[in-house]
């Protein structure tokens, strides 16, 4: 590393504090603007071939209670009437969308997210799944996944999920320490998580994901380490360890969190490293930026084969060329563009009732964006990139990226040699900054993005 006034720790601190996108898409949502229904229909007609499989994401924007750390489009409710009205709108949108699609090869991935999708109840889930199977054609080998709150997973719901063919469930755990839980508005005894996992396995749902977080108020490296050990003890197939993003200017409910208790950047780095050490020591393989999987899990095998993908749900095995989003605020991605539905539930329901696909925002995607998206995805998934082909196919992209890549090489985050870009071990946690070198839209340090670590 060249001589500098900054010590390595100060340099690493500056890199960790830099604000960059998470790159679950490219272009990112920061580039979204108004999109007309006609544009979306054109993307559907032109972007789906008869041999293409589809991926569906359905958003249920409700929870029983709102956790203060949450950065998703969700809101608390206990109104059965409100939930039924939303479920009816979701089914109506699914019917509208399926009728708008050209011939395709069926659905290979289905993901219900939120919020807490199980809040619809066994009957609501049965109605929804019956419509989806009938309208879209769920393939026999499809992965069918759902996000769950362990505190509200009773035996009847777990049994219904098994009967409906769900193959994977993601449980939000975050941290098992009661004091940390109190500071984020999510009391959740570890015993409830253990019961939830047992109920899912008894129902025949073999794929279990656990989500943890670091950087929470009052959280220490010891808290993160204990939570990682607990998650590993459950035998989950996959784990994700996300850094808490405090974006109270975007999510006002995060103002309930005491900012003075948030760990500093160096503490966050230590917490992330402790979690990785525990999980790798327990036999998990570190994948991408923040995911872990058992070596025999399809996610780990995809990483080994260079087939790991990244989309709005994070790292995935989903190879479908088209992702369709249903529900308020849901985002879909097609070769021609990305489209996000109306966020406010009443506006969303009104659009569907009027027979309109409820898109509101998005961005058209051209050949240049598709190329950059592939580069960013491979960097985020493989920590490596072959620059030979890029030099021939898009020399201007490489020319734009090189000054930033060279600066990151001087910082020790990557190596450029023999036409290859390789992220170093020290740079893996900062891979978002490497990916940003190929981003033609995002200005470094944009406030709306979260810190790199």
């Amino acid at each position: 590393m060249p001589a500098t006034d900054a010590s390595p720790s100060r340099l690493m601190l500056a890199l960790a504090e830099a604000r960059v996108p998470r790159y679950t898409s490219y272009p990112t949502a920061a580039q979204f603007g108004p999109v007309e229904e006609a544009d979306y229909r054109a993307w559907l007609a032109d972007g789906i071939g008869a041999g293409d499989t589809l991926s569906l994401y359905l958003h249920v924007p409700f929870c029983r209670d709102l956790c203060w750390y949450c950065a998703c489009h969700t809101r608390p409710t206990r109104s059965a009437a409100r939930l039924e009205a939303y479920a009816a709108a979701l089914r109506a949108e699914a019917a509208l969308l399926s009728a708008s699609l050209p011939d395709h090869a069926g659905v290979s991935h289905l993901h219900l997210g939120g919020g807490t999708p199980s809040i619809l109840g066994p009957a609501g889930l049965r109605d929804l799944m019956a419509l989806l199977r009938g309208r879209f054609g769920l393939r026999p080998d499809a992965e069918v996944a759902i996000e769950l709150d362990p505190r509200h997973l009773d035996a009847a719901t777990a049994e219904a999920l098994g009967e409906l063919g769900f193959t994977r469930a993601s449980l939000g755990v975050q941290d098992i320490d009661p004091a940390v839980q109190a500071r984020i508005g999510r009391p959740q005894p570890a015993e409830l998580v253990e019961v939830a996992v047992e109920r899912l396995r008894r129902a025949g749902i073999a794929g279990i994901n656990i989500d943890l977080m670091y950087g929470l108020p009052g959280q220490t490296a010891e808290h993160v380490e204990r939570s990682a050990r607990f998650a590993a003890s459950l035998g989950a197939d996959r784990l994700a360890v996300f850094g808490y993003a405090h974006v109270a200017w975007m999510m006002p409910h995060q103002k309930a969190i005491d900012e003075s208790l948030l760990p500093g950047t160096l503490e966050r780095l230590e917490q992330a490293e402790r979690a990785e050490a525990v999980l790798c020591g327990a036999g998990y393989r570190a994948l991408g930026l923040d995911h872990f999987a058992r070596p025999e899990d399809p996610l780990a095998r995809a990483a080994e084969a260079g087939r790991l993908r990244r989309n709005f749900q994070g790292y995935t095995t989903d190879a479908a060329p088209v992702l369709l989003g249903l529900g308020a605020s849901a985002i879909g991605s097609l070769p021609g563009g990305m489209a996000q539905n109306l966020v406010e539930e009443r506006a969303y329901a009104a659009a569907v009732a009027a027979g309109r696909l409820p898109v509101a925002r998005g961005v058209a995607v051209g050949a240049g964006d598709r190329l950059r998206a592939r580069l960013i995805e491979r960097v985020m998934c493989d920590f490596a990139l072959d620059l030979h082909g890029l030099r021939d196919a898009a020399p201007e992209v490489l020319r734009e990226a090189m000054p930033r890549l060279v600066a990151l090489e001087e910082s020790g985050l990557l190596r450029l040699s023999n036409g290859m870009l390789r992220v170093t071990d020290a740079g893996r946690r900062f891979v978002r900054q490497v990916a940003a070198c190929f981003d033609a839209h995002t200005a470094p340090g944009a406030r709306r993005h979260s810190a790199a670590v």
Side-chain angles (χ1 to χ4, degrees), residues 124-404:
L125 291 171
R126 287 190 182 96
D127 289 345
L128 180 60
M129 288 299 295
L131 186 143
L132 294 174
R133 289 181 185 277
R135 290 280 188 165
F136 290 93
L138 206 58
R139 295 170 65 91
D141 59 347
E143 177 167 282
V144 184
I146 187 169
E147 298 171 11
L148 300 170
D149 185 334
R151 301 172 299 175
H152 303 296
L153 181 66
D154 57 29
T157 301
E159 290 170 7
L161 295 175
E163 293 167 2
L164 291 171
F166 281 86
T167 62
R168 184 166 299 280
S170 294
L171 301 174
V173 173
Q174 322 317 343
D175 192 290
I176 62 168
D177 186 84
V180 175
Q181 292 173 359
R183 296 186 191 106
I184 59 175
R186 188 187 176 98
Q188 180 173 279
E191 293 77 9
L192 284 182
V193 181
E194 294 171 335
V195 169
V197 170
E198 179 57 32
R199 283 174 173 164
L200 291 169
R201 289 195 171 123
R202 195 180 303 127
I205 299 172
I208 304 294
N209 296 11
I210 298 290
D211 291 344
L212 302 175
M213 295 188 81
Y214 64 87
L216 295 171
Q219 195 179 36
T220 66
E222 288 70 26
H223 288 134
V224 173
E225 184 174 327
R226 284 197 296 271
S227 297
R229 292 190 187 284
F230 170 75
S233 75
L234 297 175
D237 305 274
R238 302 175 187 175
L239 297 108
V241 185
F242 300 116
Y244 168 61
H246 192 68
V247 288
W249 60 90
M250 293 172 56
M251 297 294 172
H253 59 268
Q254 288 190 349
K255 293 177 182 177
I257 287 178
D258 186 345
E259 289 189 41
S260 69
L261 297 178
L262 293 175
T265 304
L266 291 178
E267 293 174 285
R268 287 171 63 97
L269 274 167
E270 182 184 2
Q271 291 172 7
E273 290 167 357
R274 287 275 198 103
E276 181 169 346
V278 168
L279 295 176
C280 290
Y284 290 90
R285 180 177 173 186
L287 307 174
L289 177 64
D290 44 26
H291 280 49
F292 300 83
R294 294 202 172 279
E296 67 277 10
D297 186 87
L299 200 67
R301 291 177 177 171
E304 289 177 2
R307 293 183 286 101
L308 189 65
R309 302 294 306 276
R310 186 164 173 83
N311 64 18
F312 296 111
Q313 281 74 61
Y315 289 102
T316 178
T317 60
D318 186 358
V322 171
L323 168 64
L324 302 177
L326 296 94
S329 80
I331 303 175
S333 177
L334 295 115
M338 298 177 195
Q340 182 177 26
N341 280 350
L342 290 158
V343 173
E344 203 280 318
E345 65 183 282
R346 286 175 293 187
Y348 160 78
V352 172
R356 293 189 290 110
L357 295 178
V359 294
R361 301 174 68 245
V363 61
V365 176
D369 283 329
R370 286 192 289 272
L371 170 65
R372 291 175 184 272
R374 287 194 297 273
L375 298 174
I376 288 171
E377 182 178 48
R378 293 334 313 156
V379 168
M380 293 290 294
C381 292
D382 302 336
F383 295 106
L385 195 63
D386 186 344
L387 301 179
H388 285 294
L390 182 60
R391 185 175 290 111
D392 296 332
E396 70 285 354
V397 174
L398 185 58
R399 189 166 51 249
E400 291 171 8
M402 280 306 295
R404 296 175 68 184

Side-chain angles (χ1 to χ4, degrees), residues 57-147:
Y57 172 77
L58 283 83
H59 189 66
V60 179
F62 301 108
C63 295
R64 297 294 182 197
D65 303 286
L66 188 59
C67 302
W68 302 339
Y69 63 84
C70 185
C72 300
H73 286 294
T74 188
R75 57 211 66 127
T77 189
R78 294 174 182 265
S79 168
R82 186 180 186 184
L83 293 172
E84 175 49 40
Y86 183 80
L90 192 56
R91 294 193 299 270
E93 184 196 2
L96 280 172
L97 181 58
S98 65
S100 304
L101 299 180
D103 290 341
H104 56 84
V107 174
S108 58
H109 274 70
L110 171 63
H111 189 103
L112 271 64
T116 307
S118 58
I119 200 171
L120 299 180
L125 291 171
R126 287 190 182 96
D127 289 345
L128 180 60
M129 288 299 295
L131 186 143
L132 294 174
R133 289 181 185 277
R135 290 280 188 165
F136 290 93
L138 206 58
R139 295 170 65 91
D141 59 347
E143 177 167 282
V144 184
I146 187 169
E147 298 171 11

